[in-house]
């Protein structure tokens, strides 16, 4: 039999109400009594039931995190940082991999609501899933869900600009952009707008290819093949995701392009993992750690009720210059 | 105000006890009554409180998953598969990144126990953290925690053998093994024993270098440098982790070694991610999906009480033959 509050009370020589108050940190209890209760808990190996306390306190210290998949380096790194920060602050993470399917996302939202999470951090791409009167605090990372939800994002327009200018600066003339599903309202669209603006400003014609899903490499190869068939003279490619950039680079090499002499390539995300195993790939580095930190802090402020206003925070990205955009001499 | 069970009862024209029975699927309720209750719930937008039901049913449908970090491709892929399978079966995942720190792991175990999780899947490497009388179902992936805990693992000895034989088969003479911290009781040790056996059987002397932490690339570079300084004639390397293999390959290239002409390299894990962006790397592929599937199913069987015996399941690994072990002609 698991020991109960009553057993702790008996051993400590206090009332069950007193034990309960100590556990929930409510009402005045002398430090001497607290010590007696904790000693008794230890003696009979009593494990507090956080679930029961959650119901009583109306706080679960659970945070739902909805991401497309931890299997992608950017989301794996982001979830890692979010979980670390939640744990440091006494919160637990309920992980939900939505695979970018609207139906799955909706089910996760319902599940999180039924489980009384204190808040949600959402890193997926389907709008309109939560009604405006949603009843718990939420922070969206990198995209707008609705007007009454905080947003923490990196500067996607700046990233698109940095990447496009880098290719122009190293002498590329025929620069093509590869991005994800054109129908998703993702922040990656900002990267495309920036690319188009930079191209127009430089008097060049922008051309964007869309892959069905940046995260699923296999589904993208047909688009990459088509790009090279239709544009054999391409000399610069800005891909909106590092994995996509690497895949494009591999295909280009198999066609005989020398990198960077014939073709220069730049990616996006710049996770520690990819920079470590593919340091030669130029990329735009997202500030993953700061994104996670800002999201967790904003969410906890709302949970604690210390902030009422809806926040919008945009963080700067930076250029990682590898060999794939080295100027040909 | 959030609608309550009483409000649902009023709208449906039944008693609150009936609503509660429908929600918890207890006792006989006609399908007509059920329909009325569900219609009423929908009408007034009632969200069931799973937390309260968990306390009542003594089931939370929460599964704790303790991994070193989702930031590593193997664990990212594993967590992804585990979460997918749990979700398919109506379970939620509480994610815990232990960073392989014993103190953090211990805190996570306590937290999971306090939160009444139905079970735990643990993929970390510190023994002795749970007492033999631990009170909830658990499955360990790839290592032995204690006698009364299920183990699902891939065949690490077979993997070590496959990797070492591959290097011998393609003509390597001076084969060195790189593994993680020698003091951790990890299954990766089995890979080293297999390497040593294959070497002995072939009449060669085994030599293993240990890096402080396979997952933290930066901490490993000193050991990699030392390996090449002390063994300039090395012509085959078996690294116990793909990231480590890639890092070693990069350093070897910077020293002027041609891969595979001068030096052949094989890694370990073979995640979809690494095989996709580094298809040239030979590696031992772990059956991540099956590992996750077996772990989740074994755990749920124990939670459901349909199985009492302690299970040990070992799954086969396979060789992915890339260019880095191509025979030199």
């Amino acid at each position: 039999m698991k020991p109960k509050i009553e057993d702790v009370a008996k051993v400590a020589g206090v009332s069950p109400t007193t034990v309960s108050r100590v556990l929930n940190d409510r009402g005045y209890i002398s430090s001497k009594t607290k010590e007696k209760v904790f000693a008794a808990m230890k003696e009979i190996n009593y494990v507090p039931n956080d679930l029961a306390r959650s119901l009583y306190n109306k706080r679960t210290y659970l945070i739902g995190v909805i991401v497309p998949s931890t299997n992608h380096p950017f989301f794996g790194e982001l979830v890692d940082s979010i979980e670390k920060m939640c744990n440091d602050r006494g919160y637990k993470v309920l992980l939900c991999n939505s695979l970018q399917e609207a139906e799955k996302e909706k089910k996760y939202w319902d599940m999180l609501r039924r489980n009384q999470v204190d808040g949600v951090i959402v890193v997926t791409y389907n709008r309109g899933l939560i009604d405006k009167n949603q009843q718990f605090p939420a922070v969206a990372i990198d995209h707008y869900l609705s007007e009454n939800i905080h947003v923490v994002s990196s500067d996607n327009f700046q990233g698109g600009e940095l990447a496009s200018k880098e290719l122009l600066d190293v002498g590329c003339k025929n620069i093509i952009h590869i991005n994800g599903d054109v129908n998703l309202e993702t922040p990656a669209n900002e990267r495309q707008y920036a690319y188009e603006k930079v191209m127009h400003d430089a008097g060049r014609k922008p051309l964007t290819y869309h892959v069905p899903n940046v995260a699923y490499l296999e589904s993208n190869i047909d688009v990459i093949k088509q790009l090279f068939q239709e544009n054999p003279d391409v000399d610069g490619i800005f891909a909106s995701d590092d994995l996509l950039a690497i895949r494009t680079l591999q295909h280009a090499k198999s066609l005989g392009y020398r990198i960077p002499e014939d073709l220069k390539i730049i990616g996006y995300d710049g996770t520690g993992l990819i920079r470590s195993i593919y340091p030669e790939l130029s990329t735009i580095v997202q500030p993953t750690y700061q994104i996670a930190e800002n999201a967790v802090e904003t969410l906890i402020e709302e949970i604690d009720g210390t902030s009422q206003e809806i926040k919008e925070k945009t963080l700067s990205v930076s250029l990682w210059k590898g060999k794939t955009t080295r100027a040909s001499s």
Side-chain angles (χ1 to χ4, degrees), chain A residues 11-39:
Chain A
V11 174
V14 300
S15 72
T17 314
T18 303
V19 176
S20 175
R21 278 191 185 153
V22 171
L23 286 174
N24 292 302
D25 208 16
R26 294 209 175 183
Y28 174 75
I29 310 278
S30 73
S31 55
K32 206 179 152 190
T33 306
K34 274 186 194 167
E35 272 166 34
K36 272 199 289 184
V37 170
F38 285 127

Short mmCIF file of all heavy atoms in Angstrom, two decimals, chain A residues 11-39:
data_model
loop_
_atom_site.label_atom_id
_atom_site.label_comp_id
_atom_site.label_asym_id
_atom_site.label_seq_id
_atom_site.Cartn_x
_atom_site.Cartn_y
_atom_site.Cartn_z
N VAL A 11 2.70 9.88 11.83
CA VAL A 11 4.13 9.81 12.18
C VAL A 11 4.65 11.16 12.67
O VAL A 11 5.44 11.25 13.61
CB VAL A 11 4.96 9.30 10.98
CG1 VAL A 11 6.46 9.37 11.28
CG2 VAL A 11 4.56 7.88 10.62
N ALA A 12 4.18 12.24 12.03
CA ALA A 12 4.67 13.57 12.38
C ALA A 12 3.99 14.11 13.63
O ALA A 12 4.45 15.10 14.22
CB ALA A 12 4.46 14.53 11.21
N GLY A 13 2.88 13.49 14.01
CA GLY A 13 2.14 13.96 15.18
C GLY A 13 1.41 15.26 14.94
O GLY A 13 1.32 16.12 15.82
N VAL A 14 0.93 15.45 13.71
CA VAL A 14 0.14 16.65 13.38
C VAL A 14 -1.15 16.20 12.69
O VAL A 14 -1.33 15.00 12.43
CB VAL A 14 0.93 17.61 12.44
CG1 VAL A 14 2.22 18.06 13.11
CG2 VAL A 14 1.23 16.93 11.11
N SER A 15 -2.01 17.15 12.36
CA SER A 15 -3.26 16.78 11.68
C SER A 15 -3.03 16.63 10.18
O SER A 15 -2.10 17.23 9.63
CB SER A 15 -4.31 17.86 11.93
OG SER A 15 -3.98 19.01 11.17
N PRO A 16 -3.87 15.84 9.50
CA PRO A 16 -3.76 15.72 8.03
C PRO A 16 -3.86 17.09 7.34
O PRO A 16 -3.17 17.33 6.34
CB PRO A 16 -4.95 14.83 7.66
CG PRO A 16 -5.23 14.03 8.88
CD PRO A 16 -4.89 14.92 10.04
N THR A 17 -4.69 17.99 7.88
CA THR A 17 -4.80 19.33 7.29
C THR A 17 -3.45 20.05 7.31
O THR A 17 -3.07 20.72 6.34
CB THR A 17 -5.83 20.17 8.08
OG1 THR A 17 -6.98 19.36 8.31
CG2 THR A 17 -6.20 21.42 7.33
N THR A 18 -2.73 19.88 8.39
CA THR A 18 -1.41 20.51 8.48
C THR A 18 -0.46 19.96 7.42
O THR A 18 0.24 20.71 6.74
CB THR A 18 -0.80 20.30 9.89
OG1 THR A 18 -1.72 20.83 10.85
CG2 THR A 18 0.54 21.00 10.02
N VAL A 19 -0.47 18.64 7.24
CA VAL A 19 0.38 18.03 6.21
C VAL A 19 0.02 18.60 4.85
O VAL A 19 0.89 19.00 4.06
CB VAL A 19 0.22 16.49 6.19
CG1 VAL A 19 1.03 15.88 5.04
CG2 VAL A 19 0.66 15.88 7.51
N SER A 20 -1.28 18.67 4.60
CA SER A 20 -1.76 19.18 3.32
C SER A 20 -1.31 20.62 3.11
O SER A 20 -0.90 21.01 2.03
CB SER A 20 -3.29 19.06 3.30
OG SER A 20 -3.79 19.64 2.14
N ARG A 21 -1.36 21.42 4.19
CA ARG A 21 -0.92 22.82 4.06
C ARG A 21 0.56 22.92 3.75
O ARG A 21 0.98 23.75 2.97
CB ARG A 21 -1.21 23.56 5.38
CG ARG A 21 -2.64 24.02 5.46
CD ARG A 21 -2.79 24.97 6.63
NE ARG A 21 -4.19 25.33 6.80
CZ ARG A 21 -4.73 25.68 7.95
NH1 ARG A 21 -3.97 25.73 9.05
NH2 ARG A 21 -6.00 26.01 8.01
N VAL A 22 1.35 22.05 4.39
CA VAL A 22 2.80 22.06 4.12
C VAL A 22 3.04 21.72 2.65
O VAL A 22 3.80 22.39 1.95
CB VAL A 22 3.53 21.04 5.03
CG1 VAL A 22 4.99 20.89 4.60
CG2 VAL A 22 3.45 21.48 6.48
N LEU A 23 2.33 20.68 2.17
CA LEU A 23 2.54 20.24 0.79
C LEU A 23 2.15 21.32 -0.21
O LEU A 23 2.79 21.49 -1.25
CB LEU A 23 1.70 18.98 0.50
CG LEU A 23 2.23 17.70 1.13
CD1 LEU A 23 1.24 16.57 0.91
CD2 LEU A 23 3.59 17.35 0.53
N ASN A 24 1.10 22.05 0.10
CA ASN A 24 0.63 23.05 -0.85
C ASN A 24 1.13 24.46 -0.54
O ASN A 24 0.78 25.41 -1.22
CB ASN A 24 -0.91 23.04 -0.90
CG ASN A 24 -1.41 21.75 -1.49
OD1 ASN A 24 -1.08 21.41 -2.62
ND2 ASN A 24 -2.19 21.01 -0.72
N ASP A 25 1.98 24.55 0.50
CA ASP A 25 2.58 25.82 0.87
C ASP A 25 1.50 26.88 1.12
O ASP A 25 1.59 28.00 0.64
CB ASP A 25 3.54 26.27 -0.24
CG ASP A 25 4.65 27.15 0.32
OD1 ASP A 25 4.85 27.14 1.54
OD2 ASP A 25 5.30 27.86 -0.48
N ARG A 26 0.47 26.50 1.86
CA ARG A 26 -0.62 27.44 2.15
C ARG A 26 -0.76 27.67 3.65
O ARG A 26 -0.59 26.73 4.43
CB ARG A 26 -1.96 26.88 1.64
CG ARG A 26 -1.99 26.77 0.16
CD ARG A 26 -3.41 26.91 -0.35
NE ARG A 26 -3.36 26.92 -1.81
CZ ARG A 26 -4.42 27.09 -2.57
NH1 ARG A 26 -5.61 27.27 -2.03
NH2 ARG A 26 -4.30 27.11 -3.88
N GLY A 27 -1.12 28.87 4.05
CA GLY A 27 -1.35 29.18 5.46
C GLY A 27 -0.04 29.23 6.21
O GLY A 27 1.02 28.86 5.69
N TYR A 28 -0.07 29.73 7.45
CA TYR A 28 1.17 29.81 8.22
C TYR A 28 1.48 28.49 8.90
O TYR A 28 0.67 27.93 9.62
CB TYR A 28 1.10 30.94 9.27
CG TYR A 28 2.32 30.89 10.15
CD1 TYR A 28 3.56 31.34 9.66
CD2 TYR A 28 2.28 30.32 11.42
CE1 TYR A 28 4.70 31.26 10.43
CE2 TYR A 28 3.42 30.23 12.19
CZ TYR A 28 4.63 30.70 11.68
OH TYR A 28 5.77 30.58 12.44
N ILE A 29 2.67 27.99 8.67
CA ILE A 29 3.14 26.77 9.34
C ILE A 29 4.55 27.07 9.85
O ILE A 29 5.38 27.59 9.09
CB ILE A 29 3.24 25.59 8.36
CG1 ILE A 29 1.95 25.40 7.55
CG2 ILE A 29 3.62 24.30 9.09
CD1 ILE A 29 0.85 24.65 8.23
N SER A 30 4.83 26.77 11.09
CA SER A 30 6.17 27.06 11.63
C SER A 30 7.20 26.15 10.96
O SER A 30 6.87 25.05 10.49
CB SER A 30 6.20 26.83 13.15
OG SER A 30 6.17 25.44 13.42
N SER A 31 8.44 26.62 10.91
CA SER A 31 9.48 25.83 10.24
C SER A 31 9.71 24.53 10.99
O SER A 31 10.09 23.52 10.40
CB SER A 31 10.76 26.64 10.11
OG SER A 31 11.15 27.11 11.38
N LYS A 32 9.45 24.55 12.30
CA LYS A 32 9.64 23.33 13.09
C LYS A 32 8.62 22.26 12.65
O LYS A 32 8.97 21.09 12.46
CB LYS A 32 9.44 23.66 14.58
CG LYS A 32 10.19 22.70 15.51
CD LYS A 32 9.98 23.08 16.97
CE LYS A 32 10.09 21.85 17.86
NZ LYS A 32 9.66 22.15 19.25
N THR A 33 7.39 22.68 12.48
CA THR A 33 6.34 21.75 12.03
C THR A 33 6.66 21.23 10.63
O THR A 33 6.55 20.04 10.33
CB THR A 33 4.97 22.46 12.02
OG1 THR A 33 4.74 23.02 13.31
CG2 THR A 33 3.85 21.49 11.68
N LYS A 34 7.10 22.16 9.76
CA LYS A 34 7.47 21.76 8.39
C LYS A 34 8.51 20.66 8.42
O LYS A 34 8.40 19.65 7.72
CB LYS A 34 8.02 22.96 7.61
CG LYS A 34 6.94 23.80 6.94
CD LYS A 34 7.57 24.89 6.08
CE LYS A 34 6.51 25.91 5.69
NZ LYS A 34 7.08 27.15 5.13
N GLU A 35 9.54 20.88 9.25
CA GLU A 35 10.62 19.89 9.35
C GLU A 35 10.08 18.53 9.79
O GLU A 35 10.47 17.50 9.25
CB GLU A 35 11.69 20.36 10.34
CG GLU A 35 12.76 21.21 9.67
CD GLU A 35 13.61 21.95 10.71
OE1 GLU A 35 13.84 21.38 11.80
OE2 GLU A 35 14.02 23.08 10.41
N LYS A 36 9.19 18.55 10.78
CA LYS A 36 8.61 17.30 11.27
C LYS A 36 7.86 16.56 10.15
O LYS A 36 7.98 15.35 9.98
CB LYS A 36 7.63 17.58 12.44
CG LYS A 36 8.31 17.60 13.80
CD LYS A 36 7.31 17.42 14.94
CE LYS A 36 6.43 18.65 15.09
NZ LYS A 36 5.51 18.57 16.24
N VAL A 37 7.10 17.35 9.38
CA VAL A 37 6.32 16.75 8.29
C VAL A 37 7.25 16.15 7.23
O VAL A 37 7.07 15.02 6.77
CB VAL A 37 5.35 17.78 7.67
CG1 VAL A 37 4.72 17.24 6.39
CG2 VAL A 37 4.27 18.16 8.68
N PHE A 38 8.27 16.92 6.83
CA PHE A 38 9.19 16.42 5.80
C PHE A 38 9.93 15.18 6.29
O PHE A 38 10.13 14.22 5.53
CB PHE A 38 10.19 17.51 5.38
CG PHE A 38 9.56 18.56 4.50
CD1 PHE A 38 9.65 19.92 4.81
CD2 PHE A 38 8.84 18.21 3.36
CE1 PHE A 38 9.06 20.89 4.01
CE2 PHE A 38 8.25 19.17 2.55
CZ PHE A 38 8.35 20.51 2.88
N ALA A 39 10.32 15.18 7.57
CA ALA A 39 11.01 14.00 8.14
C ALA A 39 10.10 12.77 8.11
O ALA A 39 10.52 11.67 7.75
CB ALA A 39 11.47 14.30 9.56
#
